[in-house]
Amino acid sequence: MRTDSDDTDGPGPGSRGAGGHGQKPHGQAQAGAPAGAWAQAHDLRHHGDAEVRDDGSALVDLAVNVRAGTPPAWLRDHIAGSLSGLAAYPDGRAARAAVAARHGLPVERVLLTAGAAEAFVLLARALKVRHPVVVHPQFTEPEAALRDAGHTVERVLLRPEEGFRLDPSAVPEDADLVVIGNPTNPTSVLHPAGLIAELARPGRTLVVDEAFMDAVPDERESLAGRTDVPGLVVLRSLTKTWGLAGLRIGYVLAAPETVTELERGQPLWPVSTPALAAAEACMTPQALVEQAQAARRVVMDRAHLIAGLREFASDGVRVAEPAEGPFVLVGLPGAAAVRDRLRRLGFAVRRGDTFPGLDETWLRLAVRDRSTVNRFLQALDQALSLTGA
């Protein structure tokens, strides 16, 4: 594990690593390059949907981590039924109460947001922090939001040779904001809840992005219902499992005073009536049963995908394991050429080099059903042969 800051030009706090000080940040373009150049080397605003826009719209999508075939018909109908109330201003009380009940929390600990991405912006703008740290590789919007708000961000980079596992001791003790994903996008690592809780400190805000936790059976290792971890902020999204990326609905679970501070940064009526209807519906017992079934299917489909990928080990394909999310991270030489060839063969996959801590030899693949995976594996075989990867 290593750290990297965007405001250092040489050895020092910004280049601190688990093995000591003054190490060159992994992935730096050239020896002696300023850490600022390293920090800016990744396109933090690039996301999987870019792979399937415009000329990619007809491709089979393994780039976006939204569950295929969603939203389900019953949820679409429920959302459509809310349209008769569009003349009234949104009232989020019922949805907020439903989220609170689902996690066994008082409503004062819940804030509804226009997707988890809004929560990152609120945190970056509302909290008065001096030393924010983001644990990478992970979803890049938290760092982008912090930078946009004028913060200098330090990175803790998890090593592939260590399975991208968290070492809490590598996080600087004086960090007053720490952001980590669980399970982490794009590595698919599920960190133990107890290990993440070790990052908590008095005076520190610990942000845990659990956008994919509902795709983990029994949501094991979740911190969503915990009130005993100081400074804990848990972010959730309904986008992935329920296919609601276009509706923008997520929520924050945190101490009441943190919720109040974040709420001050929101505009009036930040969540639309259809999004509120969706949130309330996705908290019902029936919806939670469907969510649990979907999570178990992800486990089986992911195992099928990984087994197929292992067949290409002799071609240099390696899977980051154990994978616990609805996606897998794959490394291979010539990944950029393979990705381009896959597009010509009809498949979109997510490039990995926009994630700090990764380079152009990594790809992220969304888990899909067995039939789709089998067709993808055939295309991958052709792509590897044609590129000589």
Side-chain angles (χ1 to χ4, degrees), residues 182-204:
N182 202 37
T184 304
N185 171 22
T187 64
S188 208
V189 169
L190 182 66
H191 304 287
L195 199 64
I196 292 180
E198 289 182 23
L199 294 172
R201 302 280 190 281
R204 172 185 288 178

Side-chain angles (χ1 to χ4, degrees), residues 138-384:
Q138 78 148 351
F139 185 51
T140 53
E141 277 302 310
E143 180 173 328
L146 286 163
R147 290 179 179 277
D148 288 346
H151 295 286
T152 296
V153 181
E154 183 169 355
R155 295 170 176 172
V156 171
L157 304 179
L158 308 184
R159 296 179 182 272
E161 59 269 25
E162 296 170 355
F164 299 107
R165 310 303 301 185
L166 172 67
D167 175 7
S169 67
V171 175
E173 191 64 32
D174 63 344
D176 54 359
L177 173 67
V178 178
V179 184
I180 186 170
N182 202 37
T184 304
N185 171 22
T187 64
S188 208
V189 169
L190 182 66
H191 304 287
L195 199 64
I196 292 180
E198 289 182 23
L199 294 172
R201 302 280 190 281
R204 172 185 288 178
T205 300
L206 172 60
V207 179
V208 185
D209 177 8
E210 293 191 357
F212 294 98
M213 188 62 77
D214 58 0
V216 177
D218 302 320
E219 297 192 358
R220 67 186 192 281
E221 313 304 344
S222 173
L223 291 167
R226 297 278 293 273
T227 60
D228 60 324
V229 180
L232 176 65
V233 177
V234 175
L235 308 184
R236 285 292 188 104
S237 170
L238 301 179
T239 294
K240 282 68 179 178
T241 287
W242 297 110
L244 298 175
L247 202 58
R248 310 312 305 141
I249 177 65
Y251 54 90
V252 177
L253 306 175
E257 58 270 23
T258 301
V259 167
T260 298
E261 190 71 19
L262 297 179
E263 193 170 17
R264 288 195 188 103
Q266 286 185 308
L268 293 174
W269 310 291
V271 180
S272 69
T273 294
L276 293 171
E280 190 174 358
C282 291
M283 301 298 125
T284 63
Q286 297 91 335
L288 295 179
V289 168
E290 182 172 330
Q291 173 195 305
Q293 293 171 341
R296 290 193 290 270
R297 283 196 299 273
V298 165
V299 172
M300 294 185 292
D301 291 339
R302 184 180 60 232
H304 181 66
L305 172 59
I306 291 175
L309 291 169
R310 286 175 181 158
E311 296 296 318
F312 298 101
S314 60
D315 296 295
V317 174
R318 61 195 188 281
V319 182
E321 297 187 72
E324 301 283 358
F327 46 86
V328 298
L329 183 65
V330 177
L332 71 157
V338 171
R339 172 176 160 270
D340 181 67
R341 180 60 64 175
L342 284 169
R343 292 183 70 84
R344 301 184 195 184
L345 294 170
F347 290 85
V349 299
R350 171 67 157 89
R351 55 188 281 203
D353 62 325
T354 63
F355 293 100
L358 301 181
D359 58 23
E360 67 281 355
T361 64
W362 295 94
L363 300 172
R364 190 193 69 195
L365 311 176
V367 172
R368 297 291 185 244
D369 63 273
R370 291 193 172 208
S371 175
T372 301
V373 166
N374 288 342
R375 288 186 290 118
F376 166 74
L377 292 171
Q378 291 175 347
L380 178 60
D381 188 19
Q382 294 182 54
L384 291 168

